Amino acid sequence: MGKIRLIARLVGRDLRRRPGPALLLVLAITAATATLTLGLVLHGVTSQPYQQTQAATHGPDVVALISGESGLSPAQAAAEVRTLSHAAGVTGYNGPFPVASAVLRYRGLTEGVAAEGRAEAPASVDRPKVLDGTWVRPGGIVLERTFAEALGVGVGGRVTLNDRSFRVVGIAVTAAVVPYPNMCGPAYGCVFSRSGPNNFNPGLAWVTEPAARSLASAQAPLSYLLNLKLKDPATAPAFVSEHPPPPVANSPVLSWQTLEAGYGSEVHAEQTVLTPAAWLAGLLAIASVAVLAGGRMAERTRRVGLLKAVGGTPRTVTVVLLAENLVLALTAAAAGLAIGWGVGPLLSSPGAALVGTPGAPAFSLSIAGLVVAVALVVALASTLVPAIRAARTSTVSALADAARRPRRHGVLIRLSRGLPVPMLLGMRLIARRPRRAVLSTASVAVTAGGIVAVLAFHATVHLNAATLSNGLGNPMIDRDEQILTVMTVVLVALAILNAICAAWTTVLDARHSSALARALGATPGQVTAGIAAAQVLPAVPGVLLGIPLGIGLYSVAVNGIGIIVPPVWWLAAAVLGTLAAIAALAAIPALADARRPVSPILQSETA
Amino acid sequence: MNDVGASVLRTRGLRKQYGKGEGLVRAVDDVDLEVASGETVAVMGPSGCGKSTLLHLLGGLDRPSGGELWLAGQRIDQLGERALARLRRDKIGFIFQAFHLMDELTAAENIELPALLAGRSARWARRRAVELLQRVGLADRARFLPSALSGGQRQRVAVARALVSDPQLVLADEPTGNLDSQATVEVLRLFEDLHASGQTLVIVTHDSRIAATADRLISMRDGAFVDETRLTGGSAGNLGAVAGLTEMCEREV
């Protein structure tokens, strides 16, 4: 008990005494765990909200669609879909409902709309859930929620369908039709007649049946929808394959599983952004934690010596050093889970077209366990080697608080000859710790890769946005942009943290030589510039490496489809901006250290 | 002279070398030493003569290049790091010139440290720390952080820490090297008490007043023992008077 108490005491007191580096470490791991939580939570979203919506709307297990382009007369179409309603395994149905393909106008916006004719009484199958307002009534229109959001119209607004005015009386969601802007897709056809206005991403609306019929025209004939309930919903795909659609254009029979996949595409793009971002954030966090852990160990050299001098075994010393970082990792995991859980609903709200409640993302104990485990592994992996090394350090030199003796790299030292003083100091610092320089290069490459991937995504989004019709906002792209912004903030924050950690560690490591240089006449500015140079020089190859890395990463994320390389000036600005930021961030701890008096530093190294 | 018993510490041909060829440095060169139980030995010599290195070797903080080192009948120069750590916390107490207290722990907690590392209960460690704080005259400073203590007080806390496990040997490296005259007097009195209580002590010092409290004075030069003087009495009462210590203490206290 005494030993556990001692370890707890040492950990607690050290954290209280040096909160700054501990906070940096917590921030680094928090950022990674928050990103991981978001990724896992969003992953759960792809499967669950559709079932929720289906249950809440008495959604169909099978939807049969007869397109207006089929050439069938209304009576033929109705007869065709009715045969399905009597098939084996069907326990309920409603429809066929007439669907008119009309042109909707609202405040200068124009978009196609599939206006489904419905009775005012609730249906037994596919009963769209009204989230705001009321269900259809004469003169009134109910809009599918995503479509309403894209139009920016709410209950009480007025829209025109084929120049006939309708009052928006409700906003609703359904599980029977894939929502705007993906209502039409190669996998599930289109209830909207393309022979009419064919340059639209149509949305869905519900009107009364008479109103729907009145909106039809010879150019845009009525389509029909039939909703079926099966005895065993799991057999829907088998039912569909046993009952092939009529051999007419664009008239599929769809299982709920196919529709669910269509809904899933809504969140696929979010995962496209989140997955590589989570990887990048994880890599950056590991790099930051590794640098921080190394720096923190260097700061604790004397503490290690002291513990050993009074009888601490190498194992005790290792445990004390590890315990502190594990406590920080647990704290960070808790914070990351809380942030991921809190932000999750904002990013992973199941989509405007789905019922799932924002604020209740797919969060489970297994996610919590995984996030905590990852945080602990990150802390352990990055701390174990320096902790063991510290425990093995000679007690005498640890008590003298001497920095680990650097290796001399003749080539780098020869290269530095003849350089201006700051570059010379920078090059010599790199020569002292070449492995740290490699780690810096790798971290910067990851950061730059993330930035370039984000730029590539922006370039793609801009191109897609430019091709969107009619000036309507695309809710999916808006959501992707939101996620992208959050992930960019996370990545940049981590990158800043990483740069500060690397600079801080270099400052600690170079404290004695910097003090000596100042004692010999170097100005604080020269020393600061030297440390900045030590950070910028390895960053140059890292930034350049980040360009193909970022494009490659984005390419992997989108399966190589539709890759847009960002404009050269975007890339040039990213490279120069990153290098300038690294230099500026390195200067902060360097300047702070250059203000310390020289004498105590030199004395502490020689004591 | 204090009553001395069987040998606590013994070295035979102890060596510590750095470098090789022309750059070879013999920091400790073929040292034979025997310290009896209850004896106080002072090692003096110019800076860089190898005193501190010798002390580090005796305490198992550093490993010898050759020779033998025995503590309480056990050969320790070939022990592993873990065994040496156990030896340090059970049988050896260290007092350093730079105190080496943990800045974030209070005086009492610093004293408890070796006991807790040795697996003693927290209650036992606290009781012992209180007892030792009283002994070194700092009972009212138990909850003070080192930063709130004077140099002399810090060194007294370090002495208390060295005694917490009732070590068979206390090694002191320039215990007054960082102290002013007043603090030096405080620590000197403590060493007198230790000596009187029969504690075995090896002190490396530049300070002749500290050396005067010893039973035996060894002079060191270039890593080797060059002279050894057995002091009569080894108490500040006799030798302190010769060194002018008593007068100084009376003047300064």
Side-chain angles (χ1 to χ4, degrees):
Chain A
M1 274 308 284
K3 209 174 252 186
I4 294 170
R5 187 175 175 146
L6 174 67
I7 289 169
R9 178 186 287 168
L10 289 172
V11 168
R13 297 298 169 78
D14 192 47
L15 292 177
R16 252 172 40 192
R17 188 173 165 76
R18 299 177 185 85
L23 190 66
L24 284 177
L25 194 66
V26 168
L27 281 176
I29 302 177
T30 300
T33 49
T35 314
L36 181 65
T37 307
L38 275 178
L40 293 171
V41 163
L42 192 68
H43 190 264
V45 165
T46 53
S47 61
Q48 294 191 354
Y50 180 79
Q51 276 98 329
Q52 282 185 37
T53 310
Q54 199 186 25
T57 61
H58 298 263
D61 297 322
V62 172
V63 174
L65 192 158
I66 298 290
S67 168
E69 297 155 4
S70 63
L72 299 178
S73 69
Q76 286 173 313
E80 187 67 46
V81 291
R82 214 168 274 136
T83 54
L84 280 173
S85 62
H86 296 105
V90 175
T91 57
Y93 75 97
N94 64 4
F97 299 115
V99 182
S101 299
V103 175
L104 180 148
R105 289 193 173 84
Y106 174 70
R107 289 188 180 171
L109 299 169
T110 305
E111 187 56 286
V113 62
E116 186 177 338
R118 283 300 190 98
E120 291 176 56
S124 57
V125 183
D126 184 28
R127 191 185 303 165
K129 186 172 176 64
V130 178
L131 301 171
D132 194 12
T134 59
W135 184 232
V136 293
R137 58 175 186 253
I141 185 170
V142 175
L143 295 173
E144 183 270 315
R145 181 162 67 175
T146 314
F147 190 40
E149 278 188 2
L151 290 165
V153 63
V155 172
R158 282 212 162 264
V159 298
T160 65
L161 268 63
N162 292 352
D163 298 327
R164 276 181 57 193
S165 178
F166 286 84
R167 184 163 173 271
V168 177
V169 295
I171 307 291
V173 296
T174 178
V177 176
V178 177
Y180 182 84
N182 297 322
M183 201 176 86
C184 297
Y188 39 83
C190 191
V191 73
F192 187 80
S193 172
R194 288 292 183 182
S195 57
N198 59 5
N199 61 335
F200 296 123
N201 288 313
L204 180 66
W206 295 272
V207 292
T208 57
E209 272 201 44
R213 293 186 190 284
S214 69
L215 288 167
S217 65
Q219 292 77 28
L222 287 173
S223 301
Y224 291 92
L225 274 175
L226 174 72
N227 300 305
L228 301 174
K229 267 286 186 198
L230 300 184
K231 190 176 176 187
D232 181 6
T235 61
F239 181 89
V240 166
S241 55
E242 285 167 18
H243 300 86
V248 291
N250 216 0
S251 302
V253 176
L254 304 167
S255 67
W256 67 266
Q257 289 90 341
T258 305
L259 291 167
E260 184 196 18
Y263 277 77
S265 69
E266 258 200 293
V267 284
H268 174 73
E270 292 164 12
Q271 285 183 314
T272 301
V273 181
L274 263 178
T275 306
W279 278 110
L280 287 173
L283 285 173
L284 270 179
I286 289 172
S288 297
V289 174
V291 169
L292 271 168
R296 279 164 62 79
M297 292 301 167
E299 222 184 18
R300 276 154 187 72
T301 311
R302 188 174 147 271
R303 202 164 184 254
V304 167
L306 212 149
L307 270 175
K308 292 176 80 175
V310 296
T313 60
R315 194 170 70 176
T316 308
V317 172
T318 309
V319 167
V320 168
L321 294 173
L322 281 180
E324 195 168 318
N325 282 350
L326 291 180
V327 166
L328 293 178
L330 279 176
T331 310
L337 280 169
I339 292 169
W341 201 11
V343 176
L346 305 177
L347 297 178
S348 64
S349 69
L354 296 165
V355 162
T357 341
F363 189 81
S364 64
L365 274 180
S366 61
I367 289 181
L370 185 63
V371 169
V372 170
V374 167
L376 291 179
V377 167
V378 165
L380 198 68
S382 53
T383 314
L384 195 59
V385 172
I388 290 173
R389 188 190 287 153
R392 286 182 177 171
T393 307
S394 145
T395 311
V396 176
S397 59
L399 279 172
D401 203 7
R404 195 159 51 86
R405 190 175 292 279
R407 293 174 187 168
R408 290 182 67 81
H409 287 256
V411 178
L412 287 172
I413 288 174
R414 273 196 301 280
L415 276 174
S416 67
R417 285 176 195 152
L419 290 173
V421 171
M423 294 290 278
L424 181 140
L425 290 174
M427 197 71 120
R428 295 286 168 104
L429 285 174
I430 294 169
R432 284 165 65 94
R433 302 274 185 246
R435 271 188 297 192
R436 187 175 296 156
V438 171
L439 191 63
S440 283
T441 304
S443 314
V444 173
V446 170
T447 309
I451 292 170
V452 170
V454 162
L455 291 178
F457 190 90
H458 268 296
T460 312
V461 164
H462 277 268
L463 191 82
N464 288 343
T467 58
L468 267 183
S469 64
N470 311 322
L472 260 70
N474 183 336
M476 283 176 64
I477 290 181
D478 289 347
R479 281 147 55 79
D480 288 348
E481 287 273 26
Q482 279 175 6
I483 294 175
L484 194 66
T485 306
V486 171
M487 295 317 302
T488 308
V489 169
V490 169
L491 277 177
V492 168
L494 265 176
I496 288 173
L497 196 64
N498 190 269
I500 291 176
C501 297
W504 171 72
T505 312
T506 306
V507 167
L508 273 185
D509 194 43
R511 182 169 279 169
H512 184 250
S513 56
S514 297
L516 198 60
R518 283 164 57 206
L520 296 174
T523 64
Q526 283 175 317
V527 171
T528 302
I531 287 175
Q535 302 305 307
V536 170
L537 287 173
V540 173
V543 171
L544 296 177
L545 205 62
I547 294 173
L549 181 73
I551 292 171
L553 197 71
Y554 183 66
S555 167
V556 169
V558 297
N559 296 322
I561 302 163
I563 307 160
I564 309 293
V565 176
V568 174
W569 74 268
W570 284 22
L571 295 176
V575 167
L576 294 175
T578 305
L579 291 177
I582 288 168
L585 291 169
I588 296 169
L591 265 177
D593 198 64
R595 286 184 182 169
R596 286 163 54 108
V598 168
S599 168
I601 300 172
L602 292 178
Q603 278 175 2
S604 77
E605 293 281 331
T606 53
Chain B
M1 182 176 171
N2 220 31
D3 289 338
V4 293
S7 165
V8 169
L9 180 72
R10 185 157 59 91
T11 73
R12 287 285 173 271
L14 196 67
R15 291 195 313 277
K16 181 67 181 177
Q17 300 172 343
Y18 299 102
K20 51 189 173 185
E22 289 184 4
L24 181 75
V25 175
R26 291 189 173 87
V28 173
D29 190 9
D30 207 18
V31 163
D32 293 339
L33 173 68
E34 189 149 356
V35 180
S37 173
E39 188 183 18
T40 296
V41 174
V43 181
M44 292 188 80
S47 293
C49 73
K51 306 186 296 289
S52 292
T53 306
L54 173 67
L55 205 73
H56 293 155
L57 293 177
L58 298 182
L61 290 179
D62 206 352
R63 288 180 180 281
S65 308
E68 293 176 11
L69 175 58
W70 299 74
L71 179 69
Q74 180 188 11
R75 186 166 175 183
I76 66 168
D77 55 277
Q78 293 170 335
L79 291 180
E81 187 58 38
R82 194 171 169 182
L84 280 175
R86 286 186 176 148
L87 191 85
R88 284 197 291 270
R89 70 187 181 206
D90 294 336
K91 294 183 178 172
I92 302 172
F94 275 102
I95 301 163
F96 298 99
Q97 178 180 356
F99 323 129
H100 288 322
L101 299 177
M102 281 211 177
D103 300 335
E104 63 270 30
L105 300 185
T106 63
E109 288 167 347
N110 265 291
I111 296 168
E112 291 170 15
L113 189 61
L116 294 175
L117 280 171
R120 298 278 195 174
S121 73
R123 184 177 292 179
W124 187 94
R126 177 49 55 107
R127 203 171 53 234
R128 180 79 174 131
V130 169
E131 191 182 301
L132 285 166
L133 277 166
Q134 280 171 346
R135 183 170 168 188
V136 299
L138 291 174
D140 57 340
R141 296 287 191 272
R143 291 175 180 274
F144 281 48
L145 287 173
S147 55
L149 299 174
S150 69
Q153 288 171 333
R154 284 186 219 181
Q155 194 60 297
R156 282 193 276 163
V157 171
V159 170
R161 184 182 63 188
L163 299 175
V164 74
S165 299
D166 282 323
Q168 288 177 297
L169 174 67
V170 170
L171 301 169
D173 188 3
E174 300 281 9
T176 56
N178 274 1
L179 303 181
D180 59 22
S181 304
Q182 172 67 41
T184 300
V185 170
E186 292 171 4
V187 173
L188 270 171
R189 288 200 167 146
L190 208 52
F191 274 84
E192 286 173 34
D193 288 349
L194 286 180
H195 183 251
S197 67
Q199 177 67 58
T200 311
L201 273 165
V202 176
I203 308 169
V204 159
T205 183
H206 272 113
D207 191 334
S208 55
R209 291 168 294 175
I210 282 278
T213 65
D215 298 311
R216 195 153 41 114
L217 175 62
I218 295 171
S219 296
M220 214 173 159
R221 188 179 296 273
D222 297 332
F225 287 176
V226 292
D227 191 27
E228 184 173 330
T229 309
R230 189 159 291 278
L231 304 175
T232 52
S235 77
N238 297 328
L239 289 172
V242 175
L245 177 64
T246 307
E247 291 84 346
M248 189 196 78
C249 292
E250 283 169 354
R251 196 170 55 248
E252 291 184 353
V253 171

